[in-house]
Amino acid sequence: MAHWKEMKKEELEKQYSPSMWSHRMGKDEVITAHVTALSEGTKKAGSVAQTLLNVPYGEGDGEKLDIYLPVCPSQGMTMIIYIHGGYWQFFSKEESGFMAPPLVSRGIAVVAVDYDIAPKGSMDVMVSQVRRSVASIVQQYSHISGVYLCGHSAGGQLAAMVLSTDWSQYKVTPNIKGAVLVSGIYDLLPIISTYVNDPLKMTEEDAVRSSPVLLVPMLKRWSTGCEVVVVVAEHDSPEFRRQSREYFQALECAGLKVSFEDVSNTDHFNVIEQLSDEDYHLTQVLLKMIRRTSVSHT
Ligand SMILES: N[C@@H](CC(=O)c1ccccc1NC=O)C(=O)O
């Protein structure tokens, strides 16, 4: 495969159009099915979990989160914070609770974070919002035993940016025990010249500032103990697959606890949708990571 800098605009835009690579459905159909799966899944989560909706984490209208709690929440509860995808321009927390059912049934709380998607929010605003959302949760729920992050696609980049935060500017330093980054984009430079950037209007400096692959030393400094799972779908585009592989390698070279999951028989969309199913491979990966990291080894 050619380096992205050598690709014509048309090829680069195809590489960054996840819907064109699905083996299950046509491009419009796969997006419609994705929206339906996430919305219906979130509706179901609301019916099986106790919910705390629209909890503010900041002053802004869009700075709210939804919490899906187990029916019998425990003191030392585990919490998973989910950062949704949608190319920084689609979706909200209203479609982001779908992974809750198999987790709340095991006593794990799920938090769906809202952030101001473009054009309202810029990349810097979104990164600041997800960072503050995590700080706020950790501050408000100081009794929780472990905090985990999960992000999909654009949310994978935002979750990686949370791990790469200099927390000295915040009131708390969250102890994030693990993160599952699903089909993320870790280098924003290739998308600058594509349609993805039309509403974002990122400059090269903006893209550099928010590219996790360029912030590995920061992640190592602030999230050394965090276990990271970099996940990619078998039918993600070659560029998406390269992005995940290279981010994984950069973390591994830095000596971090990181693993790579190439999920067979999935595309960019159902690789995350299926987290609503307890038998799905990635649900089991997530549960295993929690079991492994939440026991104390003292
Ligand atoms: N042009 C993009 C659109 C896209 O990624 C998307 C569109 C609607 C809702 C979610 C999307 N992407 C990932 O969550 C594509 O071809 O997939």
Side-chain angles (χ1 to χ4, degrees):
M1 188 180 62
H3 188 272
W4 67 266
K5 281 186 183 160
E6 262 76 64
M7 288 180 194
K8 294 205 178 78
K9 186 166 192 266
E10 191 189 3
E11 174 60 16
L12 197 57
E13 297 206 323
K14 183 175 170 192
Q15 291 288 333
Y16 285 99
S17 296
S19 62
M20 292 177 75
W21 301 84
S22 172
H23 290 201
R24 291 181 298 143
M25 306 175 198
K27 63 181 171 49
D28 297 335
E29 217 186 335
V30 78
I31 289 181
T32 308
H34 187 53
V35 175
T36 305
L38 300 190
S39 316
E40 296 292 317
T42 302
K43 227 178 273 168
K44 184 185 167 206
S47 70
V48 301
Q50 291 193 64
T51 52
L52 289 168
L53 303 176
N54 299 309
V55 179
Y57 64 82
E59 300 287 306
D61 279 352
E63 300 184 340
K64 302 218 164 59
L65 43 87
D66 289 342
I67 308 180
Y68 296 82
L69 289 165
V71 177
C72 302
S74 65
Q75 267 295 311
M77 191 172 52
T78 297
M79 214 171 223
I80 300 184
I81 302 171
Y82 178 69
I83 304 174
H84 71 78
Y87 266 170
W88 305 276
Q89 52 204 278
F90 309 107
F91 290 129
S92 70
K93 66 179 174 60
E94 314 307 322
E95 299 85 27
S96 305
F98 60 92
M99 68 192 287
L103 299 170
V104 294
S105 70
R106 287 168 175 79
I108 302 165
V110 176
V111 179
V113 173
D114 240 359
Y115 53 89
D116 287 328
I117 54 173
K120 187 178 180 208
S122 63
M123 184 57 70
D124 285 338
V125 164
M126 291 184 257
V127 170
S128 158
Q129 288 179 324
V130 294
R131 285 173 167 164
R132 284 185 287 110
S133 73
V134 173
S136 157
I137 291 162
V138 170
Q139 244 187 322
Q140 284 185 53
Y141 297 90
S142 51
H143 57 278
I144 47 181
S145 75
V147 177
Y148 295 82
L149 279 183
C150 179
H152 172 236
S153 196
Q157 174 260 352
L158 292 170
M161 288 303 288
V162 172
L163 299 179
S164 317
T165 304
D166 175 352
W167 295 108
S168 62
Q169 315 300 317
Y170 296 74
K171 289 187 192 135
V172 284
T173 299
N175 173 18
I176 302 164
K177 289 188 173 169
V180 180
L181 309 175
V182 185
S183 292
I185 295 183
Y186 307 101
D187 177 2
L188 300 180
L189 286 171
I191 63 169
I192 285 191
S193 59
T194 71
Y195 74 97
V196 179
N197 197 30
D198 290 349
L200 289 166
K201 300 191 170 34
M202 279 188 294
T203 63
E204 211 169 289
E205 294 75 57
D206 296 331
V208 166
R209 223 174 16 255
S210 296
S211 288
V213 77
L214 304 175
L215 296 168
V216 173
M218 190 65 104
L219 185 144
K220 186 162 166 78
R221 161 72 181 82
W222 290 93
S223 303
T224 305
C226 178
E227 273 205 41
V228 181
V229 188
V230 178
V231 182
V232 75
E234 180 184 2
H235 302 136
D236 259 318
S237 73
E239 262 294 284
F240 266 83
R241 292 177 56 80
R242 177 191 68 82
Q243 288 250 2
S244 284
R245 207 171 44 240
E246 290 186 4
Y247 190 53
F248 161 72
Q249 286 163 349
L251 296 180
E252 196 180 37
C253 286
L256 286 143
K257 282 189 266 177
V258 58
S259 55
F260 190 76
E261 284 285 337
D262 186 347
V263 190
S264 61
N265 214 6
T266 59
D267 55 47
H268 188 78
F269 303 95
N270 65 353
V271 69
I272 193 79
E273 288 165 12
Q274 295 178 84
L275 279 176
S276 60
D277 174 0
E278 68 177 343
D279 297 326
Y280 175 44
H281 174 65
L282 209 52
T283 311
Q284 293 303 320
V285 167
L286 179 60
L287 288 169
K288 259 185 227 153
M289 180 185 71
I290 292 171
R291 264 180 240 132
R292 204 169 47 235
T293 54
S294 64
V295 292
S296 81
H297 294 288
T298 51

